[in-house]
Amino acid sequence: VDCAAERETLKHCASKRITSTIRCERCYQLLRAVLVPDASLASLPAALHSIMKRLLVINPNTSKLFTKRIAAVARRSTELQVETVNPRSGPRSIESAYDELLSCAPTLETYLEARRRGPVDGVVVACFSDHAAVEALREIADGPVVGLLDAACATASLVGDSFGIATTSKSWEPLLRKGVERLGYGERCVDIRAMDRPVLALEHENVEQALLDTTTAIASDVVILGCAGFGSEVARRTAAATGSSIIEPVEAAVRLCTSLALQGLGSAKARPLAQELDGLPEILAEAYAPRGDTVAVAAPAAPAANRALALYRRALRAARRCVP
């Protein structure tokens, strides 16, 4: 891709007085910054650096409606550029360890496809579980990787001395208990209680009364909503009705991942060494470190030219979005 050509495109936008019609001040300033011939990342105002960072939110199941709901919460929860996606193949909902493992390879493939499109500064795995893809992504991602269960438990632990989890189907109760114990929150989690509804009931049923009843039965003033599909509006109404502190897990995870990305903090795990893959998508091999080379604990930063090119593209998209 020709960086000079993209810069000329931005100049064309400016000549058409697009900059005078941009409603968002941050987008206006970002566009002006990249139009300067010697613009560099270091010369940008500090407040604009967050615009350049990209947060990837992956819904590991294939439910488009869940992905849409997750995207709505994620957009309201971060100042970063956020992209919410789901795999093309895999289980439509995740309600067992088997479902979870089936979703892992498509989730990793989805991340690697997104990384081909440009730098990914943080990843949220939007399934309320101790999902195996979280640890796998921490081995290969260039930034922080946050799961919903871990983020929600960490948030709840800062709010109260104990917390409970209100989830969907009964099959989740033992799975979440194992996850909470592994993550180190076993003593703080006093109850995990299911509404006894399948996950996909959230797509077409009003489950708020069942959620309210389940939340009320939990003997704690802090309750985590144990599914990515509830949404922040349901969380707010449940909090108002019960008087409890309600943790919406997608918002908790996106805000935590945003904080880590802005601090420049990522995973400290070593990258896996190359393996021979039989019958799997070729893209999965891109995550491996070559054998015989030193395995870097952290991925090297993207070259300045690539970062600048990504900045030009994002400025142009911001300009186009803000034109009335």
Side-chain angles (χ1 to χ4, degrees):
V1 180
D2 186 356
C3 294
E6 295 212 6
R7 187 185 288 275
E8 286 304 313
T9 301
L10 287 171
K11 289 181 177 179
H12 175 72
C13 290
S15 69
K16 294 295 184 181
R17 297 184 180 277
I18 285 182
T19 53
S20 66
T21 58
I22 294 177
R23 294 188 294 262
C24 174
E25 176 64 21
R26 291 203 306 170
C27 292
Y28 172 73
Q29 293 295 338
L30 179 59
L31 183 60
R32 287 195 61 186
V34 298
L35 288 173
V36 177
D38 60 348
S40 65
L41 300 187
S43 68
L44 291 177
L48 297 180
H49 280 273
S50 63
I51 300 176
M52 295 149 23
K53 289 189 177 291
R54 176 181 174 217
L55 185 68
L56 183 69
V57 180
I58 306 176
N59 170 21
N61 69 45
T62 60
S63 169
K64 296 291 186 182
L65 181 56
F66 269 46
T67 302
K68 184 177 179 180
R69 290 180 182 174
I70 291 166
V73 176
R75 284 194 301 270
R76 292 194 296 267
S77 304
T78 183
E79 65 269 34
L80 308 188
Q81 179 192 4
V82 62
E83 179 182 351
T84 305
V85 294
N86 61 262
R88 291 184 297 273
S89 61
R92 179 105 178 274
S93 69
I94 298 175
E95 300 185 58
S96 65
Y98 186 74
D99 295 338
E100 183 181 294
L101 287 175
L102 285 179
S103 72
C104 282
T107 298
L108 298 176
E109 188 175 356
T110 300
Y111 164 75
L112 292 169
E113 288 173 348
R115 194 169 69 175
R116 280 181 173 180
R117 298 191 294 272
V120 176
D121 299 290
V123 183
V124 171
V125 179
C127 175
F128 193 81
S129 70
D130 185 20
H131 203 287
V134 173
E135 291 297 326
L137 284 168
R138 285 175 179 162
E139 292 183 342
I140 66 173
D142 300 328
V145 179
V146 177
L148 299 195
L149 178 60
D150 204 353
C153 289
T155 302
S157 296
L158 293 172
V159 176
D161 293 330
S162 65
F163 62 86
I165 299 174
T167 188
T168 51
S169 63
K170 288 287 187 182
S171 63
W172 271 119
E173 290 180 346
L175 293 174
L176 290 177
R177 175 54 65 185
K178 289 179 183 178
V180 167
E181 295 284 351
R182 193 190 77 82
L183 293 171
Y185 296 101
E187 293 184 2
R188 307 287 290 274
C189 183
V190 296
D191 196 2
I192 299 174
R193 194 174 293 262
M195 301 185 301
D196 201 14
R197 302 286 182 88
V199 171
L200 290 181
L202 273 66
E203 286 192 333
H204 52 80
E205 294 181 20
N206 186 341
V207 299
E208 284 196 48
Q209 186 57 52
L211 176 62
L212 180 61
D213 294 342
T214 303
T215 303
T216 304
I218 293 174
S220 176
D221 292 333
V222 182
V223 178
I224 300 169
L225 300 188
C227 182
F230 284 119
S232 54
E233 293 300 322
V234 170
R236 277 192 282 273
R237 288 194 292 268
T238 304
T242 62
S244 299
S245 296
I246 303 297
I247 309 296
E248 201 290 317
V250 175
E251 181 175 357
V254 168
R255 291 190 184 278
L256 178 56
C257 193
T258 297
S259 176
L260 293 172
L262 291 176
Q263 294 177 74
L265 299 174
S267 173
K269 291 183 178 293
R271 293 181 182 276
L273 295 176
Q275 301 287 343
E276 295 183 14
L277 303 181
D278 295 326
L280 292 174
E282 292 183 3
I283 193 172
L284 293 175
E286 293 181 7
Y288 285 117
R291 287 189 177 272
D293 291 358
T294 301
V295 181
V297 170
N306 291 346
R307 277 287 185 182
L309 177 57
L311 172 59
Y312 300 149
R313 289 172 172 166
R314 292 173 191 180
L316 181 56
R317 286 197 297 269
R320 287 171 174 163
R321 284 196 301 268
C322 289
V323 173

